[in-house]
Amino acid sequence: MLSETCMETIVEKENMHRALKKVRSNKGAPGVDGITTDELPAHLQTHWPAIKSKLLDGTYKPGPIKGFRIPKPQGGERLLGIPNTQDRLIQQSVQQHLTQLWDGSFSEHSYGFRPGRSNLDAIRAAKAFVLEGKTWVVDIDIEAFFDQVNHDRLMSLIAKDVHDKRLMRYLGQTLRADMLLDGQRIKRTAGTPQGGPLSPLLANLYLDALDKELEIRGLSFCRYADDLVIYVTSERSAERVLGSVTAWIEKHLKLKVSASKSGTGRPWDRDFLGYNIDEQGNGQLSGKTVKKYRKRVRELWSARQSLTSAELVAQWGRYIRGWYEYFRWVEDDFKRLSQWTRRHMRKCFWQRWHSREGRMRKLRGLGIASRQLARVSFHDGAWRAARHPVMQQAMSLRMMRRWGLWTPQDFASAPC
């Protein structure tokens, strides 16, 4: 239980410094007020005394959040809500404090957004269940979970441990903060929008009752945020568990399970966190993951972008490092995917060199002799040119690594 002075602990200097460092490292887009993470320290230098005073006397009110929609890989859209950077800082400081209170009581089968846990831990646990012979999976998709969380139920869960009225008021106002979306100010009565530091922790708190129910039933499961899979030994058991767990979620959590996206099947046919797992416990990238990766490569290596070569490389680096960290369990899949990626990179540069003269000049600058240039057809399409031996020599694997044009295979083969 937190003491009555928990707000004093939240605004304590060390906790706030740690929160500021985290918010700045996460970067992210500015909220409604337009203040960026780089501008935040200067803003706080002027306004922090007043902000702190309001937090301590219980009069602080979060600003509206900026809503926008992003496409989901499976179709449809996901609604994100971005708080102002000042509010992200306060949310982060509260999240750090409440994590210390709640995380130790969360289920061992919950892996998402928890200290010392990752998606790879969830995949390893799923692999262990499959190797135990539980080769049928129940895949439960909670429809628009982050938009549908019941505020009254969530606040009652928080109130079991938090007795500081100032913090309770702040959390309630944060949950109900208006959203600016498509030029309109929208009142919110449900949900904990993705985009703020508190949302994942509150989601885990809300779904902890589900974890405990599954444990009581003796089921083998993995939950990563709102992604839930349950492993059983037969198709009949899978269908029975799907029906009973769906009914429990809708009755006790006041959430809707998507009938079209939930289902049963084999682990090698059902996607969990972007992976499939075969009967021997081997993982591979799911078809949806590969499709999404290829789409992103085409976007990031489109020659139509008005970016310098250095900006293209930096943009790619930000994406591929995060992608590799998430999917590094399946290095056997990387060779073929990396060869295809390098060809797209070469194609992009070929197109950016524009004319025949420009391409010849660039190739000479990359060490290609005149007799070799005579073998190049400058009338071929860019995709075919990207595979030409001369282009592969000019933009060799060694050269591309030196430029920072890394692929998943490069990360996998790099020395630790």
Side-chain angles (χ1 to χ4, degrees):
M1 180 184 296
L2 290 178
S3 70
E4 296 298 327
T5 60
C6 65
M7 189 59 86
E8 279 78 7
T9 307
I10 288 168
V11 300
E12 184 263 334
K13 187 174 182 180
E14 183 179 344
N15 190 53
M16 295 304 304
H17 278 172
R18 190 154 58 98
L20 179 59
K21 184 177 180 180
K22 182 70 173 177
V23 169
R24 294 195 70 193
S25 68
N26 287 342
K27 296 188 181 296
V32 173
D33 64 3
I35 297 175
T36 67
T37 53
D38 290 335
E39 296 167 338
L40 183 57
H43 171 80
L44 293 172
Q45 193 168 11
T46 302
H47 299 285
W48 175 244
I51 297 169
K52 180 179 178 180
S53 176
K54 290 180 180 179
L55 287 167
L56 290 174
D57 65 23
T59 60
Y60 182 84
K61 187 174 181 180
I65 57 179
K66 181 167 71 173
F68 63 97
R69 300 181 180 90
I70 60 172
K72 290 183 179 181
Q74 300 86 0
E77 294 181 320
R78 176 179 289 112
L79 180 63
L80 298 185
I82 306 299
N84 294 330
T85 50
Q86 173 181 300
D87 287 322
R88 295 214 293 273
L89 171 70
I90 298 169
Q91 283 195 32
Q92 179 64 36
S93 65
V94 172
Q95 184 264 2
Q96 289 168 179
H97 195 53
L98 293 180
T99 294
Q100 295 176 23
L101 172 69
W102 290 327
D103 191 74
S105 65
F106 287 158
S107 170
E108 284 298 306
H109 304 287
S110 165
Y111 297 92
F113 307 103
R114 295 183 60 190
R117 290 172 166 249
S118 71
N119 65 306
L120 294 181
D121 295 315
I123 294 298
R124 291 187 188 102
K127 170 184 174 179
F129 292 141
V130 172
L131 290 175
E132 289 174 5
K134 296 170 182 174
T135 56
W136 284 90
V137 63
V138 181
D139 185 356
I140 293 182
D141 183 278
I142 301 175
E143 197 169 289
F145 167 73
F146 285 93
D147 300 329
Q148 301 301 324
V149 167
N150 184 283
H151 284 175
D152 290 339
R153 187 178 190 282
L154 179 56
M155 290 302 295
S156 69
L157 290 171
I158 296 170
K160 291 179 181 179
D161 297 308
V162 176
H163 300 277
D164 185 321
K165 293 180 180 179
R166 299 165 298 179
L167 181 54
M168 287 296 293
R169 186 181 301 115
Y170 165 79
L171 290 169
Q173 290 179 332
T174 296
L175 285 174
R176 296 189 299 272
D178 292 350
M179 176 180 285
L180 294 182
L181 179 66
D182 300 330
Q184 295 185 328
R185 191 171 183 124
I186 300 170
K187 297 289 184 183
R188 296 176 47 255
T189 58
T192 171
Q194 294 170 276
L198 264 173
S199 185
L201 176 63
L202 296 179
N204 277 332
L205 178 68
Y206 198 88
L207 292 173
D208 189 56
L210 172 60
D211 297 339
K212 299 298 193 290
E213 174 66 18
L214 298 179
E215 288 175 350
I216 291 170
R217 297 186 186 193
L219 293 170
S220 300
F221 70 96
C222 300
R223 183 177 65 78
Y224 191 94
D226 59 333
D227 286 315
L228 173 65
V229 287
I230 305 168
Y231 293 87
V232 296
T233 56
S234 69
E235 183 177 12
R236 183 177 178 182
S237 294
E239 293 295 340
R240 175 176 51 80
V241 168
L242 174 62
S244 64
V245 173
T246 295
W248 190 94
I249 289 172
E250 295 185 344
K251 177 180 178 180
H252 295 279
L253 299 185
K254 311 301 181 186
L255 297 168
K256 182 174 176 56
V257 173
S258 172
S260 61
K261 296 181 181 178
S262 301
T264 64
R266 297 293 201 172
W268 45 90
D269 295 325
R270 304 290 299 194
D271 181 295
F272 179 47
L273 302 181
Y275 292 94
N276 297 136
I277 302 173
D278 66 22
E279 204 163 0
Q280 287 73 44
N282 300 312
Q284 64 183 28
L285 299 176
S286 70
K288 289 189 290 186
T289 297
V290 173
K291 183 178 180 180
K292 184 179 178 182
Y293 174 85
R294 289 178 180 270
K295 180 175 183 291
R296 194 70 180 123
V297 168
R298 292 187 184 99
E299 292 170 349
L300 293 176
W301 290 108
S302 168
R304 292 190 293 270
Q305 298 175 86
S306 57
L307 299 176
T308 66
S309 295
E311 289 170 338
L312 277 175
V313 173
Q315 174 181 261
W316 171 251
R318 288 190 294 272
Y319 170 75
I320 195 59
R321 287 180 186 277
W323 189 93
Y324 174 75
E325 282 302 311
Y326 195 91
F327 291 108
R328 57 193 168 90
W329 188 47
V330 289
E331 294 179 357
D332 290 347
D333 287 351
F334 289 167
K335 182 176 180 180
R336 176 175 46 84
L337 211 54
S338 295
Q339 290 172 338
W340 180 87
T341 301
R342 292 188 197 103
R343 189 172 177 184
H344 262 282
M345 293 172 175
R346 294 184 180 110
K347 172 191 171 185
C348 176
F349 281 99
W350 178 265
Q351 290 175 318
R352 286 168 66 89
W353 293 341
H354 299 301
S355 64
R356 182 178 188 278
E357 291 72 21
R359 288 164 182 160
M360 291 184 69
R361 184 171 60 252
K362 288 288 186 180
L363 290 170
R364 285 195 185 99
L366 292 171
I368 303 301
S370 296
R371 68 177 184 279
Q372 292 173 293
L373 286 175
R375 295 161 45 199
V376 179
S377 171
F378 292 92
H379 301 291
D380 288 341
W383 184 241
R384 186 172 179 181
R387 196 180 180 184
H388 195 284
V390 168
M391 193 62 178
Q392 293 190 48
Q393 179 184 339
M395 293 185 66
S396 66
L397 178 57
R398 188 174 182 179
M399 179 70 74
M400 293 176 82
R401 284 179 174 174
R402 189 187 308 163
W403 289 350
L405 300 174
W406 282 45
T407 65
Q409 186 182 21
D410 297 324
F411 283 104
S413 60
C416 296

